[in-house]
Amino acid sequence: METLLTTVIWDGKTISDILTLEFLASAVGNVMAAVTILVVGFLVGGWARRRLTSLGGKHAHLDITLFNFLGNVARYVVIGFAFLFVLNTFGVQTTSVVAIIGAAGLAIGLALQGTLSNVAAGVMIVFFRPIKIGDFVEVNGQMGTVKDITLNCTELAAISNVQVIIPNSQVWGNTITNYSAYDTRRAEWVFGVGYGVNLKVAEEAIIKTILADPRAKTDPEPFIQVNNLGASSVDFLVRVWCNSADFFAFQADMKRKVKEALDEAGVDIPFPTQTVVHVQK
């Protein structure tokens, strides 16, 4: 029994040393200090993240995407330092721990190359900003509004309000179509009329109807021209500029309004017909 009590089990301490009130009080104090440090670390990390995020939202000229990213980085850095302080509280040499973490990080990095490529791509997206939160984009065949950009992935809300998660490496490594990058867009239509109609009347009915809409811009100048002589119709190509936010609704509304205007002007709109020939034997 005496031999067991004098057995060294940790940091030169024997079992008899550990069973003393002094050691137990010290251990309890260390545990309480560690818990306090972790709680404070998480609280400070959360506070730093919220402060940086709110700072980006207060000023219109600041990019909220960048400040969300910086907020997450600040939170992880604070929590990381909190864990180092906890280890130091228990007498662990943090320099050796950092060296071990570095070696382990290299091994983990080799095993998680795909994840690290997503992180690297996330950093590139945040700092070069091909897209940002609130943009309507098409990426990797997916179309939607950017809701969030994290270190690993980009979140889109599809047109049907379905959540779409795309790894950052597939965002940065693919063609990005950003429909919100510019303030204005050019809407385009093709309207077909019959060969027997007065083209001047048809042209005036089309352009007058479109320009009567307040969303249509006259600068740059609208374009309308006969673009194609089809099998059963003369096709007008029409291009008119509008605000990017109005594009989809404007383009859709004009199809119906122009059709109604052509009907009112007596302009024939052809449609494909098929003649069935019956052969009698």
Side-chain angles (χ1 to χ4, degrees):
M1 184 66 177
E2 184 177 349
T3 304
L4 179 63
L5 292 176
T6 57
T7 302
V8 177
I9 61 173
W10 176 71
D11 195 25
K13 298 288 192 302
T14 64
I15 294 179
S16 60
D17 293 331
I18 293 175
L19 294 178
T20 62
L21 290 176
E22 181 181 355
F23 179 83
L24 291 176
S26 175
V28 171
N30 288 339
V31 170
M32 293 181 64
V35 171
T36 302
I37 291 172
L38 284 178
V39 170
V40 172
F42 276 95
L43 291 176
V44 173
W47 175 83
R49 181 181 182 277
R50 290 191 299 271
R51 288 292 298 172
L52 285 171
T53 302
S54 63
L55 180 63
K58 287 181 179 179
H59 304 281
H61 65 279
L62 298 179
D63 186 2
I64 185 64
T65 306
L66 175 61
F67 279 85
N68 280 343
F69 175 82
L70 294 176
N72 286 324
V73 171
R75 178 175 180 269
Y76 291 131
V77 168
V78 171
I79 292 174
F81 275 107
F83 275 104
L84 290 178
F85 283 130
V86 168
L87 293 176
N88 191 59
T89 300
F90 287 102
V92 178
Q93 295 296 323
T94 55
T95 53
S96 59
V97 171
V98 171
I100 294 173
I101 292 175
L106 178 61
I108 294 173
L110 293 174
L112 300 176
Q113 294 183 35
T115 301
L116 291 179
S117 67
N118 288 331
V119 174
V123 173
M124 300 295 283
I125 292 170
V126 168
F127 282 96
F128 287 96
R129 295 184 293 178
I131 60 175
K132 58 183 182 295
I133 293 175
D135 285 353
F136 186 77
V137 301
E138 182 176 359
V139 179
N140 199 29
Q142 301 292 335
M143 181 181 292
T145 302
V146 179
K147 289 296 184 180
D148 195 12
I149 301 173
T150 66
L151 284 176
N152 290 313
C153 61
T154 296
E155 177 187 346
L156 302 183
I159 297 176
S160 55
N161 201 33
V162 176
Q163 185 186 54
V164 179
I165 303 296
I166 306 175
N168 283 335
S169 60
Q170 296 183 22
V171 176
W172 184 254
N174 281 279
T175 300
I176 300 172
T177 303
N178 191 337
Y179 297 100
S180 303
Y182 305 122
D183 294 332
T184 58
R185 290 185 62 185
R186 188 176 64 183
E188 183 175 303
W189 306 266
V190 175
F191 298 109
V193 299
Y195 273 92
V197 306
N198 186 320
L199 296 182
K200 186 66 176 177
V201 173
E203 180 179 334
E204 290 179 353
I206 293 171
I207 199 66
K208 181 179 178 181
T209 301
I210 294 177
L211 293 183
D213 192 289
R215 293 170 292 187
K217 293 182 177 294
T218 56
D219 185 23
E221 185 178 356
F223 173 88
I224 181 169
Q225 189 62 268
V226 172
N227 183 57
N228 181 51
L229 300 177
S232 59
S233 66
V234 178
D235 298 329
F236 283 96
L237 175 63
V238 185
R239 292 170 175 159
V240 178
W241 290 84
C242 66
N243 291 328
S244 295
D246 298 330
F247 176 80
F248 290 105
F250 177 55
Q251 192 173 45
D253 291 344
M254 290 303 100
K255 294 176 182 178
R256 174 170 182 160
K257 289 185 177 181
V258 168
K259 199 278 182 187
E260 293 173 346
L262 292 176
D263 289 342
E264 186 177 343
V267 175
D268 176 50
I269 301 176
F271 54 88
T273 58
Q274 186 176 36
T275 302
V276 179
V277 179
H278 297 278
V279 179
Q280 294 182 350
K281 296 183 180 179

